[in-house]
Amino acid sequence: MPFPFVCKAVDVILDSAMIDQEFHRIKRLPPYVFAEVNAMKARARAAGEDIIDFGMGNPDQPTPAHIVDKLCEAARNPRAHRYSVSKGITGLRRAQAAYYERRFGVQLDPETEVIATLGSKEGLANLASAITSPGDVILSPNPSYPIHAFGFIIVGGSIRSLPAEPGPEFLAALDRAVRHSVPKPVALVINYPSNPTAYVADLDFYGQVVDFCRHHGIWILSDIAYSEIFFDGNPPPSILQIPGARDVAIEFTSMSKTYNMPGWRIGFACGNRKLVSALARVKSYLDYGAFTPVQVAAAAALNGPQDCVDEIRQLYKERRDVLIEGLHGAGWKVPAPPATMFCWAPIPPAFAHLGSVEFSKLLLTEAKVAVAPGLGFGEHGDGHVRIGLVENKHRVRQAVRNIKMFLSNYDKVLEDSEKKRASAT
């Protein structure tokens, strides 16, 4: 009988069509901008080339010894090998609350206003899924760290971009966005000190944002993952220092940069009780929290000596100064960042027409220096590249020498580049 064979053929056709179809949420994500540059970097290294990698914001120094020692001590306790607590162990949440009081003068209830996350990125993404309905409008700076926008895009939100720099233009754009968006925006994401731009905000700016969002009923998600990496002697503030901020605001922090703990995946969300509760509820379905010894060690980091934080901050400052001085000497006028572990570098005028991806590829092939294309942080970042301060001073100086030679031969480099592009098309 032919009928079973017909059904089988139809099944094959249907299966093939289903396999070829893109998943709905994946379709909302554009191609990964960094992928092409990363692939070129991998090929160059495989060929034995010495690539100086400023592309990732990945601290290159070890976690301080006393934190590692506490991890080892806690890991020897068999009871610590069991499931942990999704919102974080009590001791860790208390340590974070103590940090906020010590650093910002803000008192938090560790039971209702603090939750531990698997890094600030996980917390932002899971809160986005907790508070966003399909079609909701979210306000986010552009350029900005990708999760600030894509955490909401993945769950069906729509992004309306704002200027990245805090100040009058931001506030004016915020007002326009609320008056002209349908439906009304649900939430505003802000990030100061900023990745990738290194912009910093002051309490006056935060006060205006809080007043505006309270008046219009808009949630504020503030990311201060780089609040301890600053260079001008003026510690960046917390939005929770503003009276009434906790009516609408939640703030995300991370231990990744402050204590050289990126792979440990420990961060926090603090502030508005409703938002903390919403995040806790979503997380309770998704994870059991970080490994308990990691949380114990994180609490020891927050409660222990802070000399290591000063040393980490000084290390980045020294690297920043060497890089900026060297680039200026090479003719590339890059502003010195007041905070973060990044320099937000405008593409030199002679190469501006290329855009950030092609310029990054040229730096990689001609100067053996890898950077992050600004386009990866939003279309308004395409005139810049992000340079991470994640190589030692010797390597930074080497990179500057390579870049200086590259820029001094830019006529020939551009001519060769145009020929390659023409032949490729």
Side-chain angles (χ1 to χ4, degrees), residues 302-374:
L302 289 167
N303 293 332
Q306 300 301 301
D307 313 47
C308 57
V309 179
D310 296 332
E311 292 168 3
I312 291 167
R313 188 183 300 127
Q314 182 62 27
L315 179 75
Y316 287 128
K317 182 181 186 301
E318 291 172 358
R319 293 177 179 181
R320 179 203 68 166
D321 293 345
V322 170
L323 179 65
I324 296 300
E325 181 181 351
L327 291 179
H328 283 198
W332 189 359
K333 303 304 180 184
V334 176
T340 77
M341 57 190 292
F342 304 113
C343 296
W344 187 234
I347 298 174
F351 299 88
H353 66 285
L354 296 176
S356 61
V357 175
E358 291 303 316
F359 179 68
S360 298
K361 289 160 67 175
L362 268 185
L363 271 182
L364 184 62
T365 56
E366 302 296 331
K368 310 306 177 189
V369 173
V371 297

Side-chain angles (χ1 to χ4, degrees), residues 124-206:
L124 280 157
N126 279 328
L127 184 60
S129 70
I131 69 174
T132 309
S133 299
D136 278 351
V137 174
I138 309 298
L139 307 175
S140 178
N142 188 336
S144 186
Y145 186 54
I147 197 64
H148 295 154
F150 287 103
F152 292 94
I153 289 172
I154 289 170
V155 295
S158 297
I159 298 297
R160 180 157 182 162
S161 294
L162 299 175
E165 186 171 8
E169 289 187 18
F170 180 101
L171 296 168
L174 177 60
D175 180 63
R176 286 195 303 272
V178 171
R179 286 189 287 110
H180 298 296
S181 294
V182 179
K184 184 187 78 173
V186 170
L188 164 68
V189 182
I190 53 177
N191 169 215
Y192 304 108
S194 168
N195 176 10
T197 64
Y199 292 138
V200 295
D202 58 23
L203 285 174
D204 180 64
F205 173 78
Y206 279 150

Side-chain angles (χ1 to χ4, degrees), residues 15 51 53 81 94 100 103 141 149 155 183 215 245 265 289 314 374-375 380:
D15 288 347
I51 302 299
D53 193 356
H81 302 170
R94 286 177 177 169
Y100 256 79
R103 171 70 162 79
V155 295
H215 177 74
R265 307 315 302 136
Q314 182 62 27
L375 183 62
H380 296 303

